[in-house]
Amino acid sequence: MGYDKYTKTSRFMSSVLRHNPDSVGIRLDANGWVKVEILLEALHRKGHNLSEKDLAELVRTNDKQRFAFSEDGERIRASQGHSVPIELGLQPQTPPDTLYHGTIAKFWDGIMQHGLLKMKRTHVHLSPDIATAEKVGARHGKPLILSVATGRMHQEGHLFYHSENGVWLVHTVPPQYLTQLPL
């Protein structure tokens, strides 16, 4: 990922819209939305000066598609990854037979004992391919890639959701559905 003119603002927005809207004095609605004009004013107060055009470009070019506009373009939210309680309004969907999760080796023993837990977030995040999972895991060190038997999980009653940016979401992944992949 190259460092472009929006990277710093994108990271700040991600923190605000996913975890800490109070830090800039905004409130998210029950579905995580905030009016674009309110977000732009809040960002400006914190030194992130964007026009509506700049914001649209930031959203359009974000490599992980972390943000989404409402259909009318008047509101914005983070696509997933929240630690604040919100309801994304996603409907349960049938996942592919296998999805992937990227982490690091120091968490392996805990994962094998308890499974993948959402921790402070609203869901566990699963990737559609190994490369994406590897990129996610590499943010914190040498990645460890887990294959998740999502087809079997779904058949056994686990609910899956597919976010607007392609990330699969589930509340937990018990250890019996996990296999470590060799790198």
Side-chain angles (χ1 to χ4, degrees), residues 3-53:
Y3 194 88
D4 65 30
K5 67 180 182 174
Y6 297 124
T7 299
K8 185 177 178 182
T9 300
S10 176
R11 288 181 179 162
F12 184 71
M13 267 180 43
S14 185
S15 175
V16 167
L17 294 176
R18 295 165 74 187
H19 311 296
N20 201 3
D22 292 341
S23 70
V24 296
I26 65 171
R27 288 190 183 267
L28 306 177
D29 72 12
N31 303 114
W33 297 106
V34 64
K35 287 188 176 197
V36 167
E37 63 198 41
I38 291 172
L39 178 64
L40 288 173
E41 289 170 10
L43 291 173
H44 179 74
R45 287 192 304 271
K46 294 293 184 175
H48 298 270
N49 300 314
L50 292 178
S51 66
E52 283 189 39
K53 183 179 175 184

Side-chain angles (χ1 to χ4, degrees), residues 1 9 20 30 38 55 61 69 91 94 102 109 116-117 127 132 136 149:
M1 175 180 87
T9 300
N20 201 3
I38 291 172
L55 181 63
T61 60
F69 287 111
Q91 297 302 310
T94 302
D109 290 340
L116 293 174
L117 306 174
S127 302
T132 302
V136 169

Side-chain angles (χ1 to χ4, degrees), residues 35 54 70 94 122 134 149 172:
K35 287 188 176 197
D54 292 333
S70 59
T94 302
T122 58
E134 189 172 359
T172 187

Side-chain angles (χ1 to χ4, degrees), residues 104-119:
I104 55 176
K106 77 176 186 177
F107 298 130
W108 177 245
D109 290 340
I111 290 170
M112 287 316 297
Q113 186 173 26
H114 305 289
L116 293 174
L117 306 174
K118 60 185 176 178
M119 308 306 279

